[in-house]
């Protein structure tokens, strides 16, 4: 297993891992080129950690800082935990010497986090030995399209396990894996009264997804009022064959 963290590997990965040295605060717009990821990661005493990650790099193209925000799911009155630091990129996961891997705070073992670039739209969490986590665990972060506002609540399939707080007027964006080339896509069922469509949404292709022709459907909504809202989305074929129905619970106040 190659664990050399070299500048050459950083430059080779620059097409996927771009950004700038410092990040935004709160809902401030990030600098152009920033990559933002969202998803759910494992948690020892909760259903999962809702996670957002911003990657930045220096003006010369080398890695710069990162911003990581995590919130335990299903835990009442628990605020988000935010950390900042530096990241590096290199090659070598336990099962693939050529895999592009990024590490955050590699010089601080207590803060070290490693991710494998599973494709242009997905980062997959690795353990301390750079091994893949079990497939049944929440382990993936999905890249957020650049046009999504920094203050939007971005949810993936892993976030369906708990209720999420939103503010009136806040945008909610769903990033859901789909296979439109095979005729399957996600649709909103019976939009709750407290939500309204905020954009055309769409689909972003991921050439690394198997089978070929897959990617992520983007559903964009906005909280129009206060209260509890059950948002149901359905994965179905153009011919009406339903494969899955998913519920996202939202609390707007």
């Amino acid at each position: 297993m190659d664990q050399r963290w070299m500048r050459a590997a950083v430059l080779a990965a620059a097409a996927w891992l771009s950004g700038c040295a410092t990040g935004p605060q709160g809902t401030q717009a990030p600098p152009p080129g920033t990559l933002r990821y969202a998803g759910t990661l494992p948690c020892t005493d909760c259903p999962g950690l809702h996670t957002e990650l911003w990657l930045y790099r220096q003006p010369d193209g080398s890695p710069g800082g990162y911003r990581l925000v995590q919130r335990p799911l299903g835990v009442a009155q628990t605020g988000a935990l935010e950390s900042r630091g530096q990241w590096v990129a290199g090659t070598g996961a336990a099962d693939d010497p050529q895999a592009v891997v990024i590490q955050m705070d590699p010089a601080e073992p207590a803060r070290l986090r490693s991710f494998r670039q599973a494709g242009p739209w997905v980062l997959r969490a690795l353990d301390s030995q750079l091994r893949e986590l079990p497939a049944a665990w929440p382990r993936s972060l999905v890249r957020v399209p650049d046009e999504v506002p920094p203050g939007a609540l971005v949810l993936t399939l892993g976030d369906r396990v708990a209720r999420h707080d939103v503010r009136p007027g806040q945008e909610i964006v769903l990033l859901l894996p789909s296979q439109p080339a095979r005729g399957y896509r996600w649709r909103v069922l019976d939009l709750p009264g407290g939500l309204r469509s905020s954009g055309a949404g769409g689909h972003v292709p991921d050439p690394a997804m198997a089978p070929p022709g897959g990617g992520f459907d983007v559903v964009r909504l906005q909280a129009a009022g206060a209260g509890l809202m059950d948002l149901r989305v359905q994965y179905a074929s153009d011919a009406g064959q339903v494969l899955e129905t998913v519920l996202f619970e939202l609390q707007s106040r």
Side-chain angles (χ1 to χ4, degrees):
M1 176 176 58
D2 184 0
Q3 297 188 30
R4 295 171 298 173
W5 301 101
M6 302 176 294
R7 182 177 177 82
V10 171
L11 297 178
W16 283 344
L17 304 175
S18 60
C20 63
T22 58
Q25 301 286 342
T27 59
Q28 180 181 344
T34 296
L35 288 190
R36 175 187 178 190
Y37 292 86
T40 304
L41 297 179
C43 178
T44 57
D45 54 2
C46 67
L49 291 170
H50 177 74
T51 301
E52 296 212 20
L53 171 65
W54 285 259
L55 295 178
Y56 314 100
R57 67 177 180 178
Q58 303 287 352
D60 66 358
S62 61
Y66 74 82
R67 177 178 177 235
L68 180 72
V69 180
Q70 294 188 299
R71 175 172 51 85
L73 296 176
V75 180
Q77 299 179 344
T78 299
L81 304 175
E82 181 173 336
S83 60
R84 294 173 181 263
Q86 300 298 311
W87 64 274
V88 298
T91 55
D95 63 346
D96 184 359
Q98 302 306 315
V100 175
V101 176
I102 70 168
Q103 289 189 320
M104 292 179 287
D105 300 314
E108 303 180 52
R111 288 165 51 90
L112 174 65
R113 300 172 188 266
S114 301
F115 292 88
R116 175 180 182 167
Q117 187 79 55
W121 287 90
V122 177
L123 292 180
R124 187 167 294 157
L126 303 176
D127 67 13
S128 60
Q129 303 301 313
L130 301 184
R131 297 173 302 199
E132 293 272 357
L133 298 181
W137 292 11
R139 58 178 184 168
S140 297
L141 301 181
V142 181
R143 181 180 168 184
V144 180
D146 294 339
E147 64 270 17
V148 173
L153 174 65
V154 181
L155 302 176
T156 64
L157 280 180
D159 293 305
R160 58 186 169 179
V161 298
R163 183 177 298 167
H164 299 271
D165 289 331
V166 297
R167 305 180 305 274
Q170 185 177 15
E171 185 165 351
I172 300 103
V173 177
L174 307 182
L175 296 177
L176 306 173
S178 67
Q179 287 284 338
R182 295 178 171 234
Y184 288 89
R185 64 193 74 246
W186 290 92
R187 299 173 176 84
V188 175
L189 298 178
D190 302 325
L191 189 65
L195 292 177
R196 63 190 177 200
S197 176
S198 68
H203 178 83
V204 289
D206 187 340
M209 186 175 288
F216 293 88
D217 284 351
V218 183
V219 180
R220 300 182 65 172
L221 305 166
Q222 187 177 43
L228 286 171
M229 295 170 286
D230 288 343
L231 172 61
R232 287 181 172 83
V233 292
Q234 191 173 81
Y235 189 50
S237 70
D238 294 336
Q241 180 183 6
V242 177
L243 293 187
E244 188 174 12
T245 300
V246 174
L247 169 67
F248 290 94
E249 295 184 72
L250 304 173
Q251 170 76 67
S252 178
R253 52 190 165 194

